[in-house]
Amino acid sequence: MIEVKTVIGYGSPNKQGTNAVHGAPLGAEEAEATRKALGWDYAPFEIPEEVYADYRTNVAERGAAAYDAWKQLVEDYKQAHPELAAEVAAIIAGQDPVEIKPEDFPVLENGFSQATRNSSQNALNAAAKVLPTFLGGSADLAHSNMTYIKEDGLQDDAHRLNRNIQFGVREFAMGTILNGMALHGGLRVYGGTFFVFSDYVKAAVRLSALQGLPVTYVFTHDSIAVGEDGPTHEPIEHLAGLRAIPNLTVLRPADARETQAAWYLALKSQSTPTALVLTRQNLTVEEGTDFDKVAKGAYVVYETGADFDTILLASGSEVNLAVSAAKALAAEGAKIRVVSVPSTELFDAQDAAYKEEILPNAVRRRVAIEMAASQPWYKYVGLDGAVIGIDRFGASAPAAKVLEEYGFTVEHVSEVVKKSEIKRHKIGMPFIPIFLEIIFLPCQTGQNLL
C-alpha cells in the first residue's frame, strides 16, 4: 500500500488546504495569485513553445512511428491468417466476433429438474463453445455460483488465454474489473456471487448501467430457500433494489429453459447490463415455459381456458408453485391463468396491447407470488390484489420448513386465492351499494398476505 500525502488546492495562497477548493473554481484573482506562487509566468491558457516542441518530438512523432509499425503488423496478419484477423477486427471494433443463436443451447424436455444455478452453468458453457471472447469468474464462489467454463482452466501468468478468472473475495473490485473489460470492447464478461452479496457489488452494477455496459452479473442462492444459512444469507430486499436501478435488466428464470433464454438475452445485449438471479434448489421445466417469450418479460405458462377470472403472477422458483396451486384450484373448478414474470423491466417495455393481452384489465382478482419484498408487485396486482411475499427477514431452518412457515405452499396460495374470491363475493352482494365495494375491497384484499 502506497500512501501519498497531498494538499488540496496546492499553490493557492489563500485557499489551499481548505474545502473552498473542493468543488468550486478559484476565481480570477486567486488563479492569478496561484500562478505567481507557482512561478508560472504565462497568461491563462497560454502553453509555452518548448512544451509543444517536446510533445512533437517525444510523443507525436514517436507515436506516429509506432502506429505505422502496428498497422503494418495488422496487415501482415490479415494476409497470413484472414479468418483470425476478421475476429480481431471485430473485437477491436467492440463487436462480438461470432453471433450467439438460440440453437446454440440444447433443447430441454418438459419435466427436466435442475437448480437454475446449474442450468446457468450449462448455458454459459454452451455459450463459451461459441464465443471465444466470453469469459468471467466469481468472487471466490465459482463452484457454488456454477460460473466455471469447463473446457478452460484458470487464467494466470502462464495461461493467459484461459477464461476462468479468480477475482478473490472482493465483489466490488470484481464489478469494477468487469466494467473495465467491457469498456475495452469486444469482450463478453460476467461475474458471480451469492445474491445477498449483491449489496457489495451494487455500486459497480450501478456504474455498469450508467455507462451502458453489457456486463452479466450471476447471483445465486436467491431466496429463503437457502435454508440453514439463515437470515444473513437470505435475500429479501435485493430484487426490489436491483429492479430500481435504471437501465438494468433483472432476470429471475423459472426453470432451465428460461435460464437459457436469460443467458441468450444477456449475451445479445449491447448497452444494458443483466443480473441473473438463480436458485440453489431444483426447479421443474414447466410445459408452458417458452425460450422465445422470455424476451417479453412476462407471458402465460398455464391457463384453464379463455374465461379465466383469476391471475397468478410469479417469478423464478415460485412459477412451479403457482402452476401447482393453479392445477389444484382448477381441480375444484377454478378458472385461472398463471403468468411467469422473469423480468419486470422487459415486461414494462412492452406495448399496451401486449400488456392487456397478458394482464387483462377486466380481470382484477390477481395474486403475485415471490420470495422477496412485496413492493414491486402492486403495480401489477393493484390495490384489489394480493402479494404473497416477504417483508421481514428470513430464518434458519431446513428449506422446506422455512418455505412452509413463510407460506410458500400450494395450500397457502390456494387459501389466499379463495379468500380473495370469497371477500369479493361478500362485498359485491346485489343489495349493497356499489360504492361500498369500491371503498372497502382494497382495504380487505390489498394486503401483503404471508
Side-chain angles (χ1 to χ4, degrees):
M1 179 177 291
I2 300 173
E3 183 181 17
V4 179
K5 298 289 187 181
T6 64
V7 176
I8 191 169
Y10 176 79
S12 170
N14 303 304
K15 294 185 178 182
Q16 71 172 18
T18 73
N19 66 337
V21 289
H22 185 266
L26 291 175
E29 291 184 7
E30 189 65 17
E32 177 64 25
T34 302
R35 281 194 292 273
K36 290 181 179 179
L38 294 174
W40 186 257
D41 298 323
Y42 299 95
F45 303 106
E46 179 183 348
I47 307 297
E49 177 57 33
E50 58 263 34
V51 174
Y52 283 109
D54 182 71
Y55 181 85
R56 278 192 294 268
T57 302
N58 295 319
V59 179
E61 294 174 3
R62 175 170 51 85
Y67 179 67
D68 289 341
W70 176 80
K71 281 204 316 183
Q72 186 59 52
L73 178 66
V74 171
E75 189 58 37
D76 294 342
Y77 189 78
K78 286 180 181 178
Q79 298 298 322
H81 309 284
E83 291 185 2
L84 291 175
E87 287 191 7
V88 172
I91 293 169
I92 292 172
Q95 301 168 355
D96 295 320
V98 182
E99 181 184 3
I100 191 78
K101 301 175 182 176
E103 52 265 33
D104 292 322
F105 300 94
V107 176
L108 297 170
E109 299 296 327
N110 297 333
F112 175 70
S113 182
Q114 189 179 52
T116 52
R117 63 168 176 165
N118 297 81
S119 305
S120 170
Q121 176 153 279
N122 292 343
L124 73 85
N125 273 275
K129 292 181 182 296
V130 178
L131 297 173
T133 53
F134 179 53
L135 71 162
S138 172
D140 203 44
L141 290 167
H143 297 289
S144 290
N145 299 147
M146 303 297 176
T147 52
Y148 203 79
I149 297 176
K150 295 179 181 179
E151 64 182 32
D152 284 6
L154 293 172
Q155 187 181 96
D156 55 29
D157 286 345
H159 306 90
R160 297 188 179 186
L161 293 182
N162 284 345
R163 292 181 288 171
N164 293 294
I165 302 173
Q166 296 184 101
F167 289 105
V169 190
R170 45 181 193 156
E171 290 83 357
F172 175 67
M174 175 181 72
T176 59
I177 291 168
L178 293 172
N179 286 340
M181 295 168 75
L183 282 166
H184 172 277
L187 301 175
R188 287 286 177 177
V189 297
Y190 66 88
T193 188
F194 286 178
F195 190 31
V196 77
F197 300 153
S198 64
D199 283 340
Y200 303 145
V201 74
K202 191 171 291 181
V205 175
R206 189 175 191 272
L207 286 174
S208 301
L210 187 64
Q211 297 175 96
L213 304 176
V215 175
T216 300
Y217 294 92
V218 180
F219 296 129
T220 68
H221 298 64
D222 70 337
S223 72
I224 59 171
V226 301
E228 289 91 344
D229 283 353
T232 59
H233 283 54
E234 293 171 3
I236 300 297
E237 74 281 15
H238 300 74
L239 275 167
L242 288 185
R243 286 170 177 157
I245 297 177
N247 193 40
L248 174 67
T249 300
V250 182
L251 283 154
R252 188 168 182 248
D255 56 21
R257 186 179 291 143
E258 284 196 357
T259 303
Q260 289 182 337
W263 263 111
Y264 172 72
L265 294 172
L267 292 170
K268 294 294 286 185
S269 176
Q270 297 300 316
S271 58
T272 299
T274 302
L276 304 181
V277 183
L278 309 166
T279 68
R280 184 177 73 171
Q281 74 273 26
N282 287 347
L283 303 178
T284 301
V285 173
E286 295 287 353
E287 182 179 354
T289 55
D290 189 306
F291 184 104
D292 295 326
K293 291 180 180 177
V294 171
K296 294 287 191 180
Y299 64 99
V300 178
V301 294
Y302 174 83
E303 191 173 88
T304 56
D307 59 343
F308 63 92
D309 58 16
T310 301
I311 301 175
L312 297 183
L313 302 92
S315 79
S317 54
E318 290 78 270
V319 173
N320 274 176
L321 172 60
V323 171
S324 296
K327 290 179 178 178
L329 289 164
E332 300 177 14
K335 300 172 182 179
I336 197 163
R337 163 182 281 190
V338 177
V339 175
S340 174
V341 189
S343 173
T344 60
E345 298 81 22
L346 294 178
F347 181 60
D348 290 346
Q350 303 308 309
D351 59 30
Y354 183 77
K355 293 175 182 177
E356 173 65 18
E357 176 188 339
I358 302 303
L359 301 177
N361 193 54
V363 182
R364 302 309 306 163
R365 189 176 304 132
R366 303 177 182 184
V367 177
I369 312 166
E370 187 174 66
M371 287 190 278
S374 61
Q375 175 192 357
W377 290 98
Y378 286 102
K379 65 179 176 179
Y380 302 123
V381 303
L383 293 178
D384 49 353
V387 180
I388 302 175
I390 305 176
D391 292 316
R392 52 188 169 124
F393 290 114
S396 180
K401 181 64 174 176
V402 177
L403 296 182
E404 180 184 0
E405 290 293 326
Y406 279 70
F408 291 94
T409 64
V410 168
E411 294 75 19
H412 186 248
V413 172
S414 300
E415 178 186 344
V416 171
V417 172
K418 291 176 181 178
K419 188 178 295 185
S420 174
E421 184 174 2
I422 291 170
K423 285 182 177 180
R424 288 185 64 135
H425 283 313
K426 278 185 177 180
I427 296 170
M429 292 174 67
F431 56 84
I432 297 181
I434 189 65
F435 74 86
L436 290 179
E437 186 173 33
I438 294 172
I439 293 173
F440 292 110
L441 181 56
C443 299
Q444 296 196 34
T445 62
Q447 53 186 307
N448 176 29
L449 298 171
L450 295 176

